[in-house]
Amino acid sequence: MTRSEIDFLLFSTALKLLLFPSYRSTDFEVHRNWLAITHALPVSKWYYDTTSEWTLDYPPFFAYFEKVLSIPAAYVDPAIVDLQNLGYGSWTMVAIPTGAADPARQRLISGSLFFHPGFLIVDHIHFQYNGFLFAILLWSILMARAGRNLYSGVLFAVLLNFKHIYMYLAPAYFIYLLRSYCMSKSGQILGGRFVALASSVILVFTASLGPFIWMGQLPQLFSRLFPFTRGLNHAYWAPNVWALVTAAGPRPVTILGITINEQGIASASRGLVGDTVFTVIPHVKPFHTFLITACVQMVYMIKLWRTPTYESFLNALALCGFTSFLFGWHVHEKAILLVLVPLSLLAADNYAYFKTWMIASTAGIYSLLPLLFTSAEAPIKIIYSLAWGTMTICPLYKQVYEFPPSWPLALLDQLEYAYVIGFMPLQVFFVAIPMIAGKNPDIQFLPLMATSVYCAIGMVWAFTRLSILYFSNAFGASPK
């Protein structure tokens, strides 16, 4: 490791240790309960246990991971793995989990990912394990960049069996590996490579699902992994197309002079169970969101099929994440990391990619801030995000900036920066409304709705920008 990498590691470790006393979300109890389930129960009961409402709903590799963590946890603090000890929290519980062509630009992008506010908020305060999961994803992407596509495919298969949300990226992997690894330039199947990749992936899934297939529990496992009884939107709307539709589509009502949709909010934001019913637009069901997502992704997959290079794959990967985030069913705001991480790898390519990344990062990171709603974390999330932007966005801007070649593009450039600056008055609104309205339940949701809608506008625009960039680039030659 270089000196700068060691400094990064020491600084980030110290920062995470300082966050031990901070706010913990329900995800903290979710993972504590999963430690208890995998420690106290046999494998045959893991996906049947209902002691807590936070039932195990991740793929088997993650369950095995929780099992491994539960072994030292039981020695450090036996109360952690007590299945009946619901809502337990202690510092011992927090301490157990760990987790471009220009070299200067590469270091800048690496540092931006290492210190990304999304990981700080979601993993180290809100409490999840995205850091090591995205490390597997980045490892897989780097294997593809190095031309070691078999290893790339195996790593992605492993990742899918840790957390199934990465299925959103699977179309790009399937098309890219098929065209660049399993087929020749003339389009013929390379039998040896196809068998090697297929057998490796099957072996990974067998190791993960084999015990549950043997016990006849595959239907129960899938029912936990894909709970379609939840509503279209999460309780706090993710900044996607459905947030815009929910805010603008149904019949409005007026509260304190501000027009909102009371029924839309009530039906669209159910978290654990429920369905979404609109009063004007057609009723949206899981199948509809799946069909829309698949159709939009198919457009990018056609392009990837025709130009199966690493650069094309990376663009398609980011667009697959974008599409699933914008059009998917019951999307969590935390899923924005599926967009921001692959997109970060494109940010240093040129000014157009930088602007797309900057808009998406600003909107995406800001959309995560409401996850930390206690006053103690307010300075941390704001100051840290601003510091990250100053140390990443500003230096990268200086390296890639290009003056717009025409006055319409120059005007668009200024409008995009005006959108980013618009987050300042949005933050004032977010803070001021609760202070003015107090605990009035009629408008408590307004700051969250405004955040979702404003961030959704930026995400949709960034998605549009990236789509245009993808189809306007040739991406080099055919596969080797």
Side-chain angles (χ1 to χ4, degrees):
M1 295 178 66
T2 65
R3 179 60 183 270
S4 61
E5 290 171 338
I6 294 174
D7 290 341
F8 276 165
L9 181 60
L10 292 176
F11 177 77
S12 64
T13 301
L15 179 63
K16 293 164 188 176
L17 290 173
L18 291 174
L19 296 174
F20 270 24
S22 61
Y23 156 79
R24 303 166 194 168
S25 74
T26 53
D27 282 339
F28 180 87
E29 169 59 17
V30 168
H31 289 288
R32 188 218 61 83
N33 187 60
W34 292 359
L35 287 173
I37 289 173
T38 55
H39 182 81
L41 299 176
V43 176
S44 60
K45 295 184 179 179
W46 286 358
Y47 288 95
Y48 283 92
D49 179 74
T50 57
T51 304
S52 166
E53 64 177 322
W54 311 116
T55 54
L56 180 58
D57 59 4
Y58 273 25
F61 274 5
F62 200 92
Y64 303 152
F65 169 69
E66 295 275 10
K67 174 66 175 178
V68 171
L69 289 181
S70 74
I71 297 172
Y75 287 99
V76 174
D77 185 354
I80 294 174
V81 292
D82 183 351
L83 192 57
Q84 303 300 324
N85 198 15
L86 303 182
Y88 178 71
S90 71
W91 279 34
T92 55
M93 175 60 188
V94 180
I96 288 174
T98 60
D102 187 314
R105 294 182 186 180
Q106 284 184 349
R107 288 193 293 271
L108 187 56
I109 294 300
S110 298
S112 74
L113 286 171
F114 198 73
F115 291 102
H116 200 283
F119 291 127
L120 181 85
I121 292 171
V122 176
D123 278 16
H124 303 298
I125 300 180
H126 192 74
F127 200 88
Q128 284 196 353
Y129 292 91
N130 293 285
F132 94 88
L133 295 175
F134 275 100
I136 298 175
L137 175 64
L138 289 170
W139 189 7
S140 174
I141 293 173
L142 289 175
M143 288 294 100
R145 179 182 178 179
R148 305 177 71 178
N149 292 332
L150 177 61
Y151 294 101
S152 176
V154 170
L155 285 168
F156 185 69
V158 170
L159 181 62
L160 286 177
N161 284 278
F162 268 104
K163 193 170 183 179
H164 53 301
I165 193 173
Y166 294 96
M167 288 178 60
Y168 294 149
L169 307 180
Y173 267 94
F174 176 79
I175 296 297
Y176 176 68
L177 292 175
L178 180 63
R179 284 286 286 120
S180 67
Y181 182 73
C182 299
M183 297 179 68
S184 66
K185 288 183 179 180
S186 60
Q188 293 180 329
I189 294 291
L190 303 176
R193 289 187 171 189
F194 182 83
V195 171
L197 180 60
S199 58
S200 299
V201 171
I202 291 172
L203 184 62
V204 171
F205 275 87
T206 301
S208 173
L209 303 176
F212 300 94
I213 296 174
W214 177 264
M215 294 181 292
Q217 294 185 2
L218 210 56
Q220 173 66 17
L221 174 61
F222 285 167
S223 70
R224 285 286 183 87
L225 298 184
F226 305 102
F228 288 119
T229 55
R230 297 177 179 178
L232 174 63
N233 292 331
H234 194 238
Y236 160 51
W237 303 348
N240 59 10
V241 167
W242 303 120
L244 298 176
V245 171
T246 305
R251 183 176 64 243
V253 296
T254 301
I255 299 174
L256 299 181
I258 303 175
T259 301
I260 62 173
N261 182 351
E262 189 173 18
Q263 179 179 354
I265 291 172
S267 68
S269 61
R270 291 171 181 160
L272 292 175
V273 294
D275 202 0
T276 303
V277 178
F278 293 112
T279 56
V280 176
I281 65 174
H283 180 39
V284 179
K285 296 182 178 180
F287 172 75
H288 299 143
T289 62
F290 172 79
L291 185 62
I292 293 171
T293 301
C295 289
V296 175
Q297 285 187 343
M298 185 65 68
V299 177
Y300 306 115
M301 294 307 98
I302 294 173
K303 167 78 172 181
L304 180 59
W305 179 270
R306 293 173 177 172
T307 56
T309 63
Y310 168 76
E311 293 78 10
S312 180
F313 165 65
L314 192 54
N315 277 259
L317 197 66
L319 284 164
C320 277
F322 243 132
T323 303
S324 59
F325 181 81
L326 291 178
F327 301 103
W329 177 266
H330 195 77
V331 174
H332 286 237
E333 65 287 336
K334 292 163 282 191
I336 190 62
L337 292 172
L338 278 177
V339 177
L340 299 184
V341 170
L343 190 58
S344 296
L345 302 179
L346 296 166
D349 283 7
N350 56 49
Y351 185 57
Y353 279 111
F354 164 79
K355 282 294 294 293
T356 304
W357 168 76
M358 182 195 71
I359 295 169
S361 294
T362 305
I365 291 171
Y366 190 88
S367 72
L368 294 174
L369 299 187
L371 291 175
L372 309 181
F373 55 85
T374 61
S375 58
E377 281 74 38
I380 297 175
K381 64 184 182 183
I382 297 296
I383 294 173
Y384 185 86
S385 298
L386 289 174
W388 177 86
T390 301
M391 292 187 293
T392 57
I393 295 177
C394 295
L396 193 56
Y397 168 83
K398 294 178 180 179
Q399 295 188 35
V400 301
Y401 177 74
E402 300 172 5
F403 189 80
S406 63
W407 73 261
L409 291 179
L411 177 61
L412 178 61
D413 189 60
Q414 294 304 308
L415 289 174
E416 290 172 336
Y417 282 114
Y419 169 80
V420 173
I421 295 173
F423 281 95
M424 297 174 65
L426 177 60
Q427 178 63 22
V428 173
F429 176 81
F430 192 93
V431 174
I433 288 297
M435 295 173 61
I436 296 172
K439 296 184 178 180
N440 189 325
D442 290 337
I443 61 174
Q444 278 185 331
F445 192 75
L446 278 178
L448 289 176
M449 184 175 70
T451 299
S452 296
V453 170
Y454 194 76
C455 292
I457 293 171
M459 296 307 299
V460 170
W461 178 241
F463 170 70
T464 304
R465 282 185 60 99
L466 185 59
S467 299
I468 294 172
L469 287 171
Y470 186 45
F471 286 111
S472 62
N473 287 333
F475 295 114
S478 300
K480 297 178 181 180

